[in-house]
PDB file of all heavy atoms in Angstrom:
ATOM      1  N   VAL B  52     126.815  46.842 204.860  1.00  0.00           N
ATOM      2  CA  VAL B  52     127.343  46.438 206.155  1.00  0.00           C
ATOM      3  C   VAL B  52     126.556  47.085 207.302  1.00  0.00           C
ATOM      4  O   VAL B  52     126.229  46.440 208.297  1.00  0.00           O
ATOM      5  CB  VAL B  52     128.819  46.855 206.276  1.00  0.00           C
ATOM      6  CG1 VAL B  52     129.418  46.290 207.546  1.00  0.00           C
ATOM      7  CG2 VAL B  52     129.593  46.375 205.090  1.00  0.00           C
ATOM      8  N   ALA B  53     126.269  48.360 207.153  1.00  0.00           N
ATOM      9  CA  ALA B  53     125.547  49.060 208.222  1.00  0.00           C
ATOM     10  C   ALA B  53     124.202  48.400 208.491  1.00  0.00           C
ATOM     11  O   ALA B  53     123.781  48.269 209.646  1.00  0.00           O
ATOM     12  CB  ALA B  53     125.346  50.524 207.846  1.00  0.00           C
ATOM     13  N   THR B  54     123.549  47.973 207.424  1.00  0.00           N
ATOM     14  CA  THR B  54     122.253  47.326 207.599  1.00  0.00           C
ATOM     15  C   THR B  54     122.402  46.012 208.358  1.00  0.00           C
ATOM     16  O   THR B  54     121.548  45.659 209.173  1.00  0.00           O
ATOM     17  CB  THR B  54     121.581  47.111 206.234  1.00  0.00           C
ATOM     18  OG1 THR B  54     121.352  48.398 205.667  1.00  0.00           O
ATOM     19  CG2 THR B  54     120.262  46.388 206.366  1.00  0.00           C
ATOM     20  N   ILE B  55     123.470  45.305 208.101  1.00  0.00           N
ATOM     21  CA  ILE B  55     123.717  44.082 208.857  1.00  0.00           C
ATOM     22  C   ILE B  55     123.798  44.398 210.347  1.00  0.00           C
ATOM     23  O   ILE B  55     123.065  43.827 211.163  1.00  0.00           O
ATOM     24  CB  ILE B  55     125.036  43.396 208.420  1.00  0.00           C
ATOM     25  CG1 ILE B  55     125.012  43.041 206.948  1.00  0.00           C
ATOM     26  CG2 ILE B  55     125.313  42.163 209.291  1.00  0.00           C
ATOM     27  CD1 ILE B  55     123.970  42.038 206.544  1.00  0.00           C
ATOM     28  N   TYR B  56     124.648  45.338 210.694  1.00  0.00           N
ATOM     29  CA  TYR B  56     124.808  45.680 212.104  1.00  0.00           C
ATOM     30  C   TYR B  56     123.508  46.184 212.709  1.00  0.00           C
ATOM     31  O   TYR B  56     123.104  45.763 213.795  1.00  0.00           O
ATOM     32  CB  TYR B  56     125.890  46.739 212.282  1.00  0.00           C
ATOM     33  CG  TYR B  56     127.276  46.150 212.284  1.00  0.00           C
ATOM     34  CD1 TYR B  56     128.054  46.154 211.147  1.00  0.00           C
ATOM     35  CD2 TYR B  56     127.787  45.562 213.432  1.00  0.00           C
ATOM     36  CE1 TYR B  56     129.327  45.597 211.148  1.00  0.00           C
ATOM     37  CE2 TYR B  56     129.059  45.007 213.447  1.00  0.00           C
ATOM     38  CZ  TYR B  56     129.820  45.031 212.299  1.00  0.00           C
ATOM     39  OH  TYR B  56     131.065  44.476 212.313  1.00  0.00           O
ATOM     40  N   ASN B  57     122.854  47.091 212.014  1.00  0.00           N
ATOM     41  CA  ASN B  57     121.633  47.654 212.586  1.00  0.00           C
ATOM     42  C   ASN B  57     120.571  46.590 212.750  1.00  0.00           C
ATOM     43  O   ASN B  57     119.852  46.575 213.755  1.00  0.00           O
ATOM     44  CB  ASN B  57     121.135  48.806 211.721  1.00  0.00           C
ATOM     45  CG  ASN B  57     122.078  49.991 211.777  1.00  0.00           C
ATOM     46  OD1 ASN B  57     122.840  50.140 212.728  1.00  0.00           O
ATOM     47  ND2 ASN B  57     122.054  50.822 210.764  1.00  0.00           N
ATOM     48  N   THR B  58     120.477  45.705 211.796  1.00  0.00           N
ATOM     49  CA  THR B  58     119.463  44.670 211.864  1.00  0.00           C
ATOM     50  C   THR B  58     119.785  43.654 212.963  1.00  0.00           C
ATOM     51  O   THR B  58     118.909  43.257 213.727  1.00  0.00           O
ATOM     52  CB  THR B  58     119.334  43.960 210.511  1.00  0.00           C
ATOM     53  OG1 THR B  58     119.018  44.943 209.531  1.00  0.00           O
ATOM     54  CG2 THR B  58     118.250  42.902 210.540  1.00  0.00           C
ATOM     55  N   LEU B  59     121.041  43.288 213.069  1.00  0.00           N
ATOM     56  CA  LEU B  59     121.405  42.356 214.140  1.00  0.00           C
ATOM     57  C   LEU B  59     121.104  42.993 215.496  1.00  0.00           C
ATOM     58  O   LEU B  59     120.539  42.342 216.384  1.00  0.00           O
ATOM     59  CB  LEU B  59     122.883  41.960 214.025  1.00  0.00           C
ATOM     60  CG  LEU B  59     123.215  41.058 212.829  1.00  0.00           C
ATOM     61  CD1 LEU B  59     124.722  40.881 212.671  1.00  0.00           C
ATOM     62  CD2 LEU B  59     122.535  39.691 212.954  1.00  0.00           C
ATOM     63  N   ASN B  60     121.430  44.263 215.645  1.00  0.00           N
ATOM     64  CA  ASN B  60     121.099  44.944 216.897  1.00  0.00           C
ATOM     65  C   ASN B  60     119.598  44.943 217.155  1.00  0.00           C
ATOM     66  O   ASN B  60     119.146  44.741 218.280  1.00  0.00           O
ATOM     67  CB  ASN B  60     121.620  46.382 216.886  1.00  0.00           C
ATOM     68  CG  ASN B  60     123.126  46.430 217.058  1.00  0.00           C
ATOM     69  OD1 ASN B  60     123.742  45.476 217.519  1.00  0.00           O
ATOM     70  ND2 ASN B  60     123.734  47.535 216.649  1.00  0.00           N
ATOM     71  N   LEU B  61     118.842  45.170 216.089  1.00  0.00           N
ATOM     72  CA  LEU B  61     117.383  45.156 216.206  1.00  0.00           C
ATOM     73  C   LEU B  61     116.884  43.791 216.666  1.00  0.00           C
ATOM     74  O   LEU B  61     116.055  43.691 217.579  1.00  0.00           O
ATOM     75  CB  LEU B  61     116.781  45.508 214.847  1.00  0.00           C
ATOM     76  CG  LEU B  61     115.269  45.695 214.774  1.00  0.00           C
ATOM     77  CD1 LEU B  61     114.874  47.019 215.414  1.00  0.00           C
ATOM     78  CD2 LEU B  61     114.786  45.662 213.323  1.00  0.00           C
ATOM     79  N   PHE B  62     117.416  42.750 216.077  1.00  0.00           N
ATOM     80  CA  PHE B  62     117.017  41.396 216.470  1.00  0.00           C
ATOM     81  C   PHE B  62     117.354  41.144 217.935  1.00  0.00           C
ATOM     82  O   PHE B  62     116.595  40.507 218.662  1.00  0.00           O
ATOM     83  CB  PHE B  62     117.699  40.343 215.589  1.00  0.00           C
ATOM     84  CG  PHE B  62     117.183  40.265 214.173  1.00  0.00           C
ATOM     85  CD1 PHE B  62     116.209  41.145 213.702  1.00  0.00           C
ATOM     86  CD2 PHE B  62     117.677  39.296 213.298  1.00  0.00           C
ATOM     87  CE1 PHE B  62     115.738  41.062 212.391  1.00  0.00           C
ATOM     88  CE2 PHE B  62     117.202  39.206 211.985  1.00  0.00           C
ATOM     89  CZ  PHE B  62     116.242  40.090 211.537  1.00  0.00           C
ATOM     90  N   VAL B  63     118.502  41.636 218.361  1.00  0.00           N
ATOM     91  CA  VAL B  63     118.891  41.455 219.761  1.00  0.00           C
ATOM     92  C   VAL B  63     117.903  42.174 220.680  1.00  0.00           C
ATOM     93  O   VAL B  63     117.403  41.601 221.646  1.00  0.00           O
ATOM     94  CB  VAL B  63     120.327  41.967 220.027  1.00  0.00           C
ATOM     95  CG1 VAL B  63     120.624  42.016 221.520  1.00  0.00           C
ATOM     96  CG2 VAL B  63     121.344  41.065 219.322  1.00  0.00           C
ATOM     97  N   GLU B  64     117.575  43.419 220.337  1.00  0.00           N
ATOM     98  CA  GLU B  64     116.628  44.172 221.158  1.00  0.00           C
ATOM     99  C   GLU B  64     115.273  43.467 221.265  1.00  0.00           C
ATOM    100  O   GLU B  64     114.604  43.562 222.281  1.00  0.00           O
ATOM    101  CB  GLU B  64     116.384  45.567 220.567  1.00  0.00           C
ATOM    102  CG  GLU B  64     117.503  46.550 220.850  1.00  0.00           C
ATOM    103  CD  GLU B  64     117.530  47.682 219.822  1.00  0.00           C
ATOM    104  OE1 GLU B  64     116.459  48.004 219.256  1.00  0.00           O
ATOM    105  OE2 GLU B  64     118.633  48.218 219.573  1.00  0.00           O
ATOM    106  N   HIS B  65     114.890  42.782 220.185  1.00  0.00           N
ATOM    107  CA  HIS B  65     113.591  42.108 220.201  1.00  0.00           C
ATOM    108  C   HIS B  65     113.680  40.656 220.651  1.00  0.00           C
ATOM    109  O   HIS B  65     112.728  39.904 220.511  1.00  0.00           O
ATOM    110  CB  HIS B  65     112.932  42.212 218.831  1.00  0.00           C
ATOM    111  CG  HIS B  65     112.395  43.573 218.555  1.00  0.00           C
ATOM    112  ND1 HIS B  65     113.208  44.637 218.253  1.00  0.00           N
ATOM    113  CD2 HIS B  65     111.124  44.071 218.568  1.00  0.00           C
ATOM    114  CE1 HIS B  65     112.470  45.732 218.069  1.00  0.00           C
ATOM    115  NE2 HIS B  65     111.203  45.407 218.258  1.00  0.00           N
ATOM    116  N   GLY B  66     114.839  40.284 221.168  1.00  0.00           N
ATOM    117  CA  GLY B  66     114.953  38.964 221.784  1.00  0.00           C
ATOM    118  C   GLY B  66     115.106  37.791 220.831  1.00  0.00           C
ATOM    119  O   GLY B  66     114.968  36.639 221.236  1.00  0.00           O
ATOM    120  N   LEU B  67     115.383  38.066 219.566  1.00  0.00           N
ATOM    121  CA  LEU B  67     115.551  36.953 218.632  1.00  0.00           C
ATOM    122  C   LEU B  67     116.972  36.411 218.646  1.00  0.00           C
ATOM    123  O   LEU B  67     117.219  35.269 218.287  1.00  0.00           O
ATOM    124  CB  LEU B  67     115.200  37.396 217.207  1.00  0.00           C
ATOM    125  CG  LEU B  67     113.757  37.834 216.986  1.00  0.00           C
ATOM    126  CD1 LEU B  67     113.567  38.306 215.558  1.00  0.00           C
ATOM    127  CD2 LEU B  67     112.801  36.685 217.306  1.00  0.00           C
ATOM    128  N   LEU B  68     117.901  37.264 219.043  1.00  0.00           N
ATOM    129  CA  LEU B  68     119.303  36.877 219.090  1.00  0.00           C
ATOM    130  C   LEU B  68     119.906  37.337 220.413  1.00  0.00           C
ATOM    131  O   LEU B  68     119.363  38.208 221.082  1.00  0.00           O
ATOM    132  CB  LEU B  68     120.108  37.563 217.979  1.00  0.00           C
ATOM    133  CG  LEU B  68     119.865  37.200 216.535  1.00  0.00           C
ATOM    134  CD1 LEU B  68     120.746  38.062 215.653  1.00  0.00           C
ATOM    135  CD2 LEU B  68     120.166  35.714 216.306  1.00  0.00           C
ATOM    136  N   ARG B  69     121.056  36.790 220.685  1.00  0.00           N
ATOM    137  CA  ARG B  69     121.845  37.153 221.819  1.00  0.00           C
ATOM    138  C   ARG B  69     123.256  37.391 221.321  1.00  0.00           C
ATOM    139  O   ARG B  69     123.703  36.664 220.442  1.00  0.00           O
ATOM    140  CB  ARG B  69     121.890  35.908 222.681  1.00  0.00           C
ATOM    141  CG  ARG B  69     121.998  35.986 224.090  1.00  0.00           C
ATOM    142  CD  ARG B  69     121.516  34.656 224.633  1.00  0.00           C
ATOM    143  NE  ARG B  69     120.278  34.959 225.307  1.00  0.00           N
ATOM    144  CZ  ARG B  69     120.205  35.029 226.650  1.00  0.00           C
ATOM    145  NH1 ARG B  69     121.231  34.761 227.410  1.00  0.00           N
ATOM    146  NH2 ARG B  69     119.069  35.340 227.227  1.00  0.00           N
ATOM    147  N   THR B  70     123.937  38.353 221.872  1.00  0.00           N
ATOM    148  CA  THR B  70     125.331  38.474 221.464  1.00  0.00           C
ATOM    149  C   THR B  70     126.188  37.748 222.470  1.00  0.00           C
ATOM    150  O   THR B  70     125.808  37.565 223.622  1.00  0.00           O
ATOM    151  CB  THR B  70     125.836  39.914 221.392  1.00  0.00           C
ATOM    152  OG1 THR B  70     125.681  40.498 222.676  1.00  0.00           O
ATOM    153  CG2 THR B  70     125.066  40.692 220.378  1.00  0.00           C
TER     154      THR B  70
END
Side-chain angles (χ1 to χ4, degrees):
Chain B
V52 187
T54 297
I55 301 296
Y56 278 98
N57 292 337
T58 302
L59 290 172
N60 286 341
L61 186 74
F62 288 3
V63 169
E64 282 157 27
H65 286 74
L67 297 177
L68 292 178
R69 210 160 249 256
T70 59

